[in-house]
Amino acid sequence: MLSNRTKRLLSVSLFILLLGYAINPALAANVSAQLRFYDNLHSEVSSGVLVKNDVTMTLTGLINHVVVKQRYQNPHPFAVNARYVFPLPDESAVHALQMQIGERVITGNIALKQQAEQQFKEAQQQGKRAALVRQQRANIFATDVANIGAGDEIEITLQYQEIIGFRDGVFSLRFPTTITPRYEPKTAQLKPHTSENPEPNSSSMLNQSALASAWLKPVYQRTNSQQVDAHLNLAINMDIGLELSDINANLSGMQIDNPHFGRYILALNRDVPMTRDFELTFKPLDKESSQAAFFKEVVNGEEYGLLMLVPPADHFTAQARLPREMVFVVDTSGSMHGQSMEQAKHALFYALSLLDENDSFNIIGFDNDVTALSEAAMIANDFNIRRAERFIYGLQADGGTEISNALSRVLDGKQHDGFVRQIVFLTDGSVGNETQLFSQIQADLGDSRLFTVGIGSAPNSFFMTRAADIGRGTFTFISSASQVQPKMQLLFDKLAHPVVTELVLHADNQELEYWPSPLPDLYFSEPVLVAVKLAGNQHVTLTGQTLSGPLNINLSANHAAQGEGIARLWARQKIKSLLLYNDKDSVKSEVETLALQHHLLSPFTAFIAVDNVAGNEIAERSVQLRNRLPSGMTLPQTDGQSRVFIVFGLLLVSLAWLWQWRR
């Protein structure tokens, strides 16, 4: 029987734990209602439902056509429903869905999201196999598969298109494999569930409490078990009509064949753990042939164009270098712990080495709090550089990712005469309140320019590319320590040259509908990449302003090569710009029309595929497939809650000690 003293001690402990949940309900909300599986040692293991991700890329011209096959295998003696939350590139235009069950192939349809969710729910309750694909963010998607029978396999095929990246004479593409855990700031303006974000379907997993931000939360593999829920196989066919050199992939085991001129076949010949974004870079052997490209497509009588142009270097190199104020902002939150923090420090050290005494600088570190090297920018002399190096050595990763506080510290909304103010923001972007941050940047930017640097194995490129778009800067991705020096050097070469501003695309003295709109500022070796509805115009002109005078570049659509999928990419870019610069509700109708017309996934549309042949069993159990944590990341630091538990633990120990002392 428990003594009175023990009972009192247990009561105080219970009170403190309940107080913790009352102060931070998110702690309770993180307890998932999903089906979990354990081994005989009571360690959590894989759900048993496996996903094999087979990805095939076909590169033609400037466009990457991608087919993603997700094979769901159910080894259990009962039917299950499965959910898989997964990333795709944030610029991807997802336009097709198929579901295959044995020999039967069911083609998915695009529909308004609420209608698609209702169809899926009805099919699930009737025991029919069904698939529902939704967009959570521009780079985060979710597949729900209903009624996977015992021992069955269902294959879900998605197709998307994206524009190949081109910068500094190098083509590039990325394929994300996992999701960096998102931090929801306490002050974030989170949107409640509405008719556009209904509660998930009524099964043990699908009926769990969703986040306040109304997106489907990934779950992560917490053990070191070699059994995981998802693997990747990747094949790439490149036929862009150019002889290539320096083909490099950041994942080992890539085989490269060159069967004939201009064609390359690449393959990862093994299952790859999905812990690091895949990145491929390659250079054209003849660099001059890659400086301009123009493709067009006719769809339903409408003509669309895709333009890439790198202006001549003499527009930049002849211009004087202006004095600069450089502000380096570095994320020191818990999600940066480990490799990401080391990469950020290497990048800062290297950035300091590239400054000269015509520059001034400051360094801002942030997690829950904001810490500055100096109250004001300092001259980049030897004494101040050494002071900055000591500051960098002392940076430690802990706490939450309160980006809004950091932006408030560095964005002043002012015009700065006589010098260029450039902000370099190093982060993994692991936040869930992106919309709030975009509005803050747009309101407070002034004439500063924001350059984002993605750090880590799987950064949130959705946040960083769009933050750079609004900030009139650029995004740089650094995935390993070996990339720090070359990529920071390229970034500083860009920052050292003035921009071309006020970029506008004209055609025969009339306005064109082109995207992105407005066009971003243009930096040295940074291409203009724009999708345009030509409306019968065969000549287009790009105009802009430089310090040495106006820029005018003429192009002829008569010489454009034929392309495929350009209309979809135009629509995808228009949707992106509409949502980025406008209130979501005000452009909802226009986005819905564009997405339905061009068969595209969007925040308001979804793909639904239903097999009209009912299965033998209606699934009563549901599982959510786990994502692997990004390489170099440990989960406990991600959400910034460790300090809360430390405080409660210390309080508990103190009370117990005080009680013992008084007795």
Side-chain angles (χ1 to χ4, degrees):
M1 193 162 192
L2 296 178
S3 66
N4 289 334
R5 187 176 112 185
T6 303
K7 290 179 180 178
R8 285 195 292 269
L9 184 59
L10 290 174
S11 298
V12 172
S13 302
L14 180 61
F15 168 77
I16 292 172
L17 289 174
L18 292 175
L19 178 63
Y21 281 103
I23 293 175
N24 187 3
L27 297 178
N30 283 336
V31 179
S32 173
Q34 71 187 24
L35 186 63
R36 296 183 182 272
F37 295 84
Y38 299 85
D39 60 19
N40 56 4
L41 298 178
H42 305 290
S43 296
E44 189 176 346
V45 297
S46 172
S47 65
V49 177
L50 302 179
V51 169
K52 293 286 188 179
N53 290 272
D54 295 324
V55 179
T56 303
M57 299 181 176
T58 303
L59 279 63
T60 55
L62 296 178
I63 300 177
N64 184 18
H65 304 263
V66 186
V67 177
V68 180
K69 292 186 177 181
Q70 302 170 348
R71 287 182 285 131
Y72 295 78
Q73 301 168 329
N74 177 18
H76 303 299
F78 47 81
V80 298
N81 303 309
R83 171 176 291 165
Y84 181 36
V85 179
F86 61 96
L88 288 177
D90 57 284
E91 299 290 352
S92 56
V94 182
H95 64 88
L97 165 71
Q98 282 188 335
M99 178 173 67
Q100 183 168 349
I101 307 164
E103 298 298 321
R104 295 197 309 284
V105 176
I106 298 96
T107 299
N109 297 311
I110 192 75
L112 296 177
K113 181 182 284 188
Q114 188 174 3
Q115 296 174 2
E117 289 171 333
Q118 182 62 33
Q119 291 179 46
F120 180 82
K121 181 178 181 180
E122 293 172 357
Q124 183 184 19
Q125 293 172 344
Q126 295 167 8
K128 296 179 179 179
R129 272 73 62 99
L132 174 70
V133 180
R134 289 171 287 179
Q135 175 183 309
Q136 301 297 305
R137 298 283 198 273
N139 63 339
I140 299 178
F141 300 79
T143 298
D144 287 289
V145 185
N147 297 309
I148 309 175
D152 283 354
E153 177 176 300
I154 293 180
E155 183 175 271
I156 305 298
T157 300
L158 297 172
Q159 295 185 47
Y160 73 84
Q161 295 174 178
E162 63 176 343
I163 302 173
I164 304 170
F166 182 78
R167 179 187 295 180
D168 305 306
V170 179
F171 289 102
S172 65
L173 61 87
R174 285 177 58 205
F175 184 80
T177 64
T178 190
I179 302 168
T180 298
R182 301 295 196 261
Y183 172 80
E184 293 284 2
K186 306 295 184 298
T187 57
Q189 300 296 319
L190 301 180
K191 295 183 179 180
H193 289 282
T194 67
S195 61
E196 297 301 327
N197 293 293
E199 288 290 333
N201 298 302
S202 56
S203 65
S204 60
M205 180 271 296
L206 300 178
N207 202 28
Q208 60 182 304
S209 297
L211 290 182
S213 53
W215 69 295
L216 303 177
K217 184 178 181 181
V219 292
Y220 293 92
Q221 181 87 10
R222 289 178 175 268
T223 70
N224 293 323
S225 170
Q226 295 300 308
Q227 184 185 14
V228 294
D229 290 344
H231 296 275
L232 173 68
N233 292 300
L234 180 63
I236 304 174
N237 297 299
M238 296 194 297
D239 191 3
I240 61 176
L242 297 172
E243 189 173 357
L244 304 178
S245 64
D246 296 329
I247 303 175
N248 294 300
N250 67 332
L251 298 181
S252 60
M254 178 69 74
Q255 291 185 343
I256 303 174
D257 293 319
N258 182 200
H260 56 75
F261 177 83
R263 186 181 180 194
Y264 298 82
I265 300 175
L266 293 76
L268 284 172
N269 58 358
R270 56 184 174 83
D271 283 343
V272 175
M274 301 181 69
T275 62
R276 181 182 297 278
D277 288 0
F278 169 76
E279 184 179 31
L280 180 73
T281 60
F282 51 95
K283 297 180 181 179
L285 196 60
D286 179 8
K287 289 185 65 175
E288 292 303 316
S289 63
S290 65
Q291 300 304 295
F294 200 0
F295 299 86
K296 65 181 179 180
E297 179 189 34
V298 178
V299 176
N300 296 327
E302 299 278 4
E303 192 171 29
Y304 300 85
L306 180 62
L307 163 68
M308 183 190 75
L309 178 69
V310 180
D314 57 12
H315 281 284
F316 300 88
T317 54
Q319 300 176 35
R321 182 182 184 278
L322 293 177
R324 296 177 299 171
E325 178 185 319
M326 303 291 302
V327 183
F328 301 101
V329 184
V330 58
D331 182 351
T332 60
S333 65
S335 65
M336 292 283 288
H337 181 78
Q339 294 178 12
S340 296
M341 194 71 244
E342 293 306 310
Q343 291 168 23
K345 288 184 177 182
H346 282 307
L348 286 173
F349 285 132
Y350 189 69
L352 291 178
S353 73
L354 299 175
L355 297 174
D356 62 39
E357 293 197 2
N358 290 320
D359 299 322
S360 60
F361 77 101
N362 202 355
I363 301 176
I364 309 293
F366 75 93
D367 42 49
N368 293 103
D369 303 311
V370 177
T371 305
L373 167 66
S374 172
E375 287 302 313
M378 305 184 300
I379 298 299
N381 56 33
D382 290 342
F383 176 82
N384 288 333
I385 293 294
R386 288 195 296 272
R387 177 182 170 188
E389 289 172 343
R390 291 193 296 272
F391 179 83
I392 295 170
Y393 276 120
L395 295 174
Q396 300 294 328
D398 190 22
T401 313
E402 296 285 351
I403 289 180
S404 180
N405 294 343
L407 292 174
S408 296
R409 177 66 172 78
V410 298
L411 297 179
D412 57 14
K414 297 178 180 178
Q415 303 295 311
H416 302 86
D417 297 328
F419 65 94
V420 177
R421 189 168 190 266
Q422 298 170 332
I423 301 165
V424 180
F425 206 109
L426 299 97
T427 179
D428 60 6
S430 60
V431 291
N433 64 324
E434 294 100 328
T435 301
Q436 176 193 356
L437 298 174
F438 297 154
S439 298
Q440 184 178 358
I441 295 168
Q442 191 170 6
D444 299 338
L445 184 67
D447 70 351
S448 299
R449 293 296 181 257
L450 178 65
F451 298 81
T452 56
V453 179
I455 298 292
S457 52
N460 178 7
S461 60
F462 164 64
F463 167 69
M464 283 175 286
T465 55
R466 281 155 177 72
D469 286 342
I470 298 172
R472 311 302 289 271
T474 61
F475 166 55
T476 300
F477 172 47
I478 296 177
S479 63
S480 66
S482 64
Q483 293 184 338
V484 168
Q485 182 169 333
K487 293 206 171 184
M488 289 301 288
Q489 179 67 64
L490 290 172
L491 175 60
F492 265 72
D493 287 345
K494 192 189 321 295
L495 298 179
H497 291 84
V499 298
V500 181
T501 59
E502 301 177 33
L503 285 168
V504 179
L505 205 60
H506 305 273
D508 300 329
N509 297 318
Q510 70 180 61
E511 290 189 5
L512 287 173
E513 192 173 7
Y514 58 83
W515 309 97
S517 180
L519 288 173
D521 290 345
L522 185 62
Y523 288 82
F524 175 64
S525 75
E526 191 81 13
V528 177
L529 196 56
V530 57
V532 56
K533 186 183 255 187
L534 292 170
N537 294 284
Q538 296 304 310
H539 296 278
V540 295
T541 303
L542 180 72
T543 64
Q545 290 294 324
T546 73
L547 290 180
S548 59
L551 171 73
N552 286 276
I553 298 174
N554 298 308
L555 288 166
S556 173
N558 291 323
H559 300 125
Q562 292 299 313
E564 181 183 348
I566 296 172
R568 291 192 197 102
L569 292 172
W570 173 85
R572 175 67 181 81
Q573 288 296 316
K574 182 173 181 178
I575 289 172
K576 169 187 170 180
S577 292
L578 287 172
L579 293 172
L580 191 57
Y581 295 104
N582 299 279
D583 177 73
K584 188 176 179 179
D585 292 334
S586 68
V587 295
K588 177 184 173 185
S589 176
E590 191 172 0
V591 170
E592 286 179 342
T593 300
L594 275 168
L596 293 175
Q597 179 183 351
H598 293 272
H599 219 247
L600 293 176
L601 212 55
S602 77
F604 308 119
T605 53
F607 276 108
I608 177 71
V610 177
D611 181 12
N612 289 321
V613 179
N616 296 324
E617 180 183 2
I618 299 177
E620 297 180 355
R621 299 176 176 89
S622 298
V623 295
Q624 180 165 332
L625 283 77
R626 260 158 257 159
N627 297 81
R628 293 289 296 270
L629 280 171
S631 177
M633 177 179 287
T634 53
L635 189 57
Q637 287 96 359
T638 299
D639 57 6
Q641 304 297 341
S642 57
R643 292 180 179 177
V644 177
F645 287 113
I646 291 172
V647 170
F648 282 135
L650 289 174
L651 181 60
L652 178 61
V653 171
S654 299
L655 286 174
W657 177 85
L658 180 62
W659 199 346
Q660 178 67 25
W661 178 77
R662 292 189 62 183
R663 291 183 62 85

